[in-house]
Amino acid sequence: MDDDPLPDLPWRKSSFSGGGGNGGADCVEVAPTPDGRIAVRDSKHPEAGALLFTRAEMAAWVEGCRAGEFDDLGSRS
């Protein structure tokens, strides 16, 4: 059985994911799907599946990140 439910997607993660002493393990990966959606998954557990978002949903998320709307969620303790 294949552990990756979306094996042929070009998964990538942020260049900012390398910190924290975990060798880049603390991040999510994103990939475009053939139907135009964006897949998002936990890089530590890709076998758990992915969430799928429309391009409009992902654009709204990225704009919110750029505006700092989620900064409180990313602070490391």
Side-chain angles (χ1 to χ4, degrees):
M1 179 176 197
D2 191 351
D3 285 343
D4 189 346
L6 301 169
D8 296 328
L9 297 180
W11 292 102
R12 64 182 191 239
K13 53 186 162 184
S14 170
S15 61
F16 291 92
S17 67
N22 289 329
D26 290 333
C27 68
V28 296
E29 295 175 309
V30 298
T33 65
D35 66 2
R37 293 181 293 172
I38 305 296
V40 180
R41 70 181 182 183
D42 182 338
S43 64
K44 295 179 300 301
H45 302 287
E47 73 283 354
L51 296 172
L52 297 171
F53 297 94
T54 66
R55 294 235 174 217
E57 290 167 335
M58 185 57 69
W61 170 257
V62 170
E63 288 303 313
C65 289
R66 286 183 182 145
E69 294 178 9
F70 309 107
D71 287 355
D72 62 312
L73 301 175
S75 60
R76 296 182 185 199
S77 300

